[in-house]
Amino acid sequence: MALINIASVIAWGYGLFLNGKGRQADAILVICTEVWVHSVCAAIFLGLEVGFQHYLWAISALAILNTRLNYLYASFYSLSFILTFALLYLLCADVSYQYKYSEYVEAVHFINIMVAGIPFIISMMVIRFISVTQEDAMAKLASLDSLTGLYNRRMATEISLKILQQASRSGEPVSMALGDIDYFKKINDSFGHAEGDHVLCEVALFFRSRLREADIISRWGGEEFLIVLPGVDGEAAYSKINKICQFFEKEVRLESDTSYVAQMSFGVVECTPGVTFGECLKRADEALYLSKEQGRNKVTLSKN
Ligand SMILES: Nc1nc2c(ncn2[C@@H]2O[C@H](COP(=O)(O)OP(=O)(O)OP(=O)(O)O)[C@@H](O)[C@H]2O)c(=O)[nH]1
């Protein structure tokens, strides 16, 4: 057993080394093999009294995390440790060993059961961590625009509907501004698509820095942005958007030609109670169309 203990320490060291190198599947293989050999040898030479066989349950959970194996093989691999556990009880039940300090055998058995539970808990923790992280990532992917990081149309609609419902209950005003970058096609055509993407990101940053936390900023489509301003009436929204537009030309720059001035047109609407989100959007769009018609780089407030 002394030799096995030395080999164990080396195997664990190697397993941890592999894990540190990002080779988790190899690390699991090394550790599972070591624990299997150790448990079987302990049962054969010392019997079941000290409880080393309980570690087989722990590695059966760990074995499932070996992603190099497909689900079926991982299940068989894991099951082989439980089978070993059961066989040890059949084959080694009569093995006994004369310990020098036999009064401690029960305590060692107890400790082994407890320690064997730790990898089991860690395995479950890893699974939980991975599933929570993936859920968060999926939720993010489903709600954010991948280029600008702003809310996408689906999420913006969901949040806006909630804001409008809340506002109709509380009587608080809500306004909406639909903005569109002027002659965006020209930016793409003259400076390239990557430059166009850069401008879209700059616009997103601009809105984030110039608007409040409570304002909902979203990429509504191609080069269109929808901003929902809770607690703000139409006139206030109109002057707020006009005010931030003064900074637009200074703060939104091309990467390759900083002398190029990007501009934007807006349609602003106050969402009066009882008017649906779709209707508000339509009126904002009509106001935006007027801004474009009247020469662009302009904000138009929709008249009720
Ligand atoms: N770089 C880039 N371009 C995009 C993206 N989405 C849409 N576009 C481009 O945006 C352009 C929109 O062009 P138009 O609808 O003609 O509008 P515009 O040139 O901005 O003209 P006005 O809106 O009338 O001022 C098209 O060339 C699209 O290809 C995107 O994610 N990245």
Side-chain angles (χ1 to χ4, degrees):
M1 281 307 289
L3 279 178
I4 291 171
N5 283 339
I6 294 167
S8 277
V9 173
I10 296 169
W12 272 90
Y14 186 51
L16 293 175
F17 167 78
L18 290 172
N19 191 47
K21 290 272 171 203
R23 292 170 57 187
Q24 277 84 9
D26 291 329
I28 288 173
L29 193 71
V30 168
I31 287 170
C32 286
T33 308
E34 187 289 315
V35 174
W36 185 86
V37 171
H38 208 135
S39 303
V40 170
C41 291
I44 292 170
F45 297 124
L46 307 175
L48 302 173
E49 266 182 318
V50 277
F52 282 108
Q53 66 279 11
H54 294 293
Y55 289 96
L56 291 164
W57 283 95
I59 56 166
S60 77
L62 198 64
I64 292 283
L65 299 180
N66 186 345
T67 49
R68 194 178 291 155
L69 301 177
N70 67 27
Y71 286 102
L72 188 66
Y73 285 133
S75 305
F76 283 138
Y77 183 42
S78 174
L79 197 63
S80 70
F81 298 119
I82 308 294
L83 181 68
T84 308
F85 180 85
L87 286 174
L88 289 181
Y89 270 85
L90 285 179
L91 304 173
C92 302
D94 297 333
V95 178
S96 67
Y97 183 79
Q98 272 324 102
Y99 291 99
K100 207 171 173 188
Y101 303 102
S102 54
E103 64 271 31
Y104 295 122
V105 168
E106 273 186 22
V108 173
H109 192 127
F110 176 83
I111 290 167
N112 274 335
I113 291 177
M114 294 305 292
V115 176
I118 292 172
F120 197 82
I121 293 169
I122 291 173
S123 307
M124 291 301 148
M125 283 288 205
V126 169
I127 293 166
R128 182 180 159 162
F129 174 77
I130 292 170
S131 80
V132 168
T133 313
Q134 283 181 344
E135 259 175 47
D136 285 354
M138 295 292 277
K140 244 184 173 176
L141 272 179
S143 61
L144 301 184
D145 169 51
S146 57
L147 177 66
T148 60
L150 295 178
Y151 289 124
N152 59 21
R153 182 189 280 243
R154 194 190 66 79
M155 197 60 187
T157 306
E158 209 173 285
I159 300 175
S160 304
L161 288 172
K162 280 192 192 137
I163 289 175
L164 290 187
Q165 264 175 8
Q166 226 168 3
S168 71
R169 277 199 297 269
S170 68
E172 285 247 300
V174 182
S175 293
M176 206 181 261
L178 188 63
D180 184 290
I181 304 171
D182 295 331
Y183 303 117
F184 189 62
K185 191 174 180 310
K186 217 161 104 183
I187 299 179
N188 272 337
D189 292 348
S190 315
F191 302 97
H193 210 264
E195 189 66 277
D197 283 354
H198 169 78
V199 169
L200 291 168
C201 294
E202 286 272 292
V203 172
L205 271 178
F206 171 78
F207 285 140
R208 277 211 181 112
S209 65
R210 288 281 163 195
L211 293 166
R212 306 166 305 169
E213 282 264 314
D215 298 329
I216 305 303
I217 312 161
S218 64
R219 183 162 175 219
W220 195 245
E223 83 290 21
E224 257 189 353
F225 294 82
L226 180 71
I227 299 162
V228 178
L229 304 136
V232 180
D233 65 26
E235 289 292 341
Y238 173 75
S239 52
K240 171 88 192 167
I241 298 294
N242 253 319
K243 200 166 157 200
I244 68 168
C245 275
Q246 296 168 13
F247 302 99
F248 191 82
E249 293 178 10
K250 280 191 215 104
E251 293 177 18
V252 178
R253 289 273 170 221
L254 295 192
E255 220 169 13
S256 52
D257 182 354
T258 48
S259 64
Y260 188 94
V261 176
Q263 291 173 336
M264 225 173 149
S265 299
F266 285 90
V268 176
V269 63
E270 179 170 339
C271 309
T272 40
V275 179
T276 64
F277 174 69
E279 183 62 27
C280 293
L281 201 62
K282 188 165 164 272
R283 281 175 38 208
D285 198 33
E286 285 161 2
L288 169 62
Y289 181 77
L290 283 178
S291 292
K292 292 273 181 188
E293 260 208 336
Q294 290 164 11
R296 294 173 172 80
N297 191 24
K298 194 174 158 46
V299 184
T300 304
L301 176 62
S302 168
K303 299 276 176 278
N304 287 332

